[in-house]
């Protein structure tokens, strides 16, 4: 699990699907510490191992894994393409890579307000601008790194609009936003107003290591 956050999904997957073992990597020491606590509390420390590591710079031996998952994390990686290269090396032949990910809508930032919204959004969301490209580029990068049977499924309508409603409702409430620096609040509101989320498509992508 590349970029596991606080580990909620790993505990769920282990309890629901009972894989042999799950390894997870995350660059946030705070999140790793809390996720390890959650795994201990769930009695799964012998089945789930969390590592403090960069998903784009992994040092596991070649062919270590049969499946690699990046759940709403790969758009943060520096860069996603380096992660594709690492995933290809680490997967066994026939292994599966699955991602829930954002891509940029083609030709969206054709005017200055849209371009500015994308720049501010990438800053607020900590997304390297090099990761904001179209699904066609995404698929081409996967192929370049030895993946085949690539299946992209666009579920934007099920994700972006409900998330926008949620975020806009939160922005209108004083707590918790009053705890943030005024510049952070300003950026969050401005990138929403300029349509950053409208510049994105949300995909589930699966690909097989050749």
């Amino acid at each position: 699990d590349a970029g596991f956050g606080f580990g909620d999904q790993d505990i769920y997957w282990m309890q629901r699907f009972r894989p042999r073992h799950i390894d997870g990597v995350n660059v946030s020491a705070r999140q790793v510490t809390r996720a390890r606590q959650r795994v201990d509390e769930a009695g799964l420390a012998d089945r789930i191992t969390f590592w403090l590591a960069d998903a784009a710079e992994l040092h596991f031996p070649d062919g270590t894994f049969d499946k690699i998952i990046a759940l709403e994390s790969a758009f943060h990686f520096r860069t996603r393409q380096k992660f594709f290269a690492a995933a290809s090396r680490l997967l066994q032949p026939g292994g599966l890579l699955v991602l829930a990910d954002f891509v940029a809508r083609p030709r969206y930032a054709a005017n200055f307000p849209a371009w500015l919204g994308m720049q501010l959004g990438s800053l607020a969301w900590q997304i390297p601008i090099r990761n904001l490209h179209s699904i066609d580029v995404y698929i081409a990068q996967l192929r370049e790194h030895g993946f085949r049977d690539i299946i992209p499924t666009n579920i934007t309508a099920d994700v972006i609009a409900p998330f926008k409603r949620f975020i806009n409702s939160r922005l209108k409430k004083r707590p918790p936003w009053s705890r943030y620096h005024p510049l952070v609040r300003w950026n969050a509101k401005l990138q929403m107003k300029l349509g950053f989320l409208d510049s994105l498509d949300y995909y589930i992508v699966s690909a097989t290591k050749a």
Side-chain angles (χ1 to χ4, degrees):
D1 184 8
F4 56 76
F6 290 101
D8 306 77
Q9 68 271 16
D10 301 283
I11 294 170
Y12 172 78
W13 291 332
M14 184 57 73
Q15 292 173 336
R16 175 70 184 274
F17 301 108
R18 310 298 296 175
R20 291 187 302 276
H21 194 87
I22 297 175
D23 285 279
V25 297
N26 197 323
V27 294
S28 168
R30 183 175 69 90
Q31 290 185 352
V32 171
T33 297
R34 183 64 185 115
R36 286 172 175 168
Q37 292 172 349
R38 289 181 171 182
V39 166
D40 286 338
E41 292 164 1
L44 295 171
D46 61 330
R47 306 289 299 280
I48 301 174
T49 304
F50 288 140
W51 306 85
L52 180 62
D54 184 339
E57 300 283 351
L58 294 172
H59 301 291
F60 295 100
D62 293 2
T64 297
F65 302 110
D66 57 358
K67 296 178 181 67
I68 294 178
I69 297 176
L71 178 63
E72 292 189 354
S73 55
F75 51 83
H76 291 304
F77 298 160
R78 298 182 183 275
T79 59
R80 186 198 285 118
Q81 190 170 11
K82 287 181 66 177
F83 168 66
F84 288 164
S88 180
R89 180 182 67 80
L90 293 173
L91 279 170
Q92 302 163 6
L96 191 65
L97 173 65
V98 180
L99 309 100
D101 212 349
F102 289 117
V103 299
R105 291 186 171 177
R107 298 179 298 279
Y108 178 83
N111 57 65
F112 180 73
W115 176 87
L116 180 59
M118 183 168 285
Q119 301 301 312
L120 292 174
S122 68
L123 179 63
W125 287 58
Q126 299 182 51
I127 302 174
I129 201 69
R130 288 174 293 175
N131 289 346
L132 289 175
H133 47 63
S134 70
I135 190 63
D136 291 338
V137 173
Y138 196 106
I139 292 170
Q141 289 180 352
L142 283 168
R143 287 179 177 149
E144 178 185 342
H145 292 291
F147 288 95
R148 57 177 173 78
D149 300 332
I150 301 165
I151 303 173
T153 304
N154 189 331
I155 60 169
T156 303
D158 298 313
V159 176
I160 299 294
F163 184 70
K164 282 174 61 179
R165 290 195 296 270
F166 170 76
I167 289 296
N168 283 323
S169 70
R170 298 290 288 177
L171 286 172
K172 294 175 183 178
K173 295 181 180 179
R174 186 170 297 274
W177 287 102
S178 59
R179 299 198 298 266
Y180 291 92
H181 190 281
L183 284 176
V184 174
R185 298 200 303 270
W186 175 82
N187 186 8
K189 292 179 180 178
L190 183 59
Q191 54 97 5
M192 289 286 291
K193 184 176 181 181
L194 291 172
F196 174 63
L197 289 176
D198 295 322
S199 73
L200 303 176
D201 279 326
Y202 190 104
Y203 275 84
I204 302 294
V205 180
S206 65
T208 302
K209 164 74 176 294

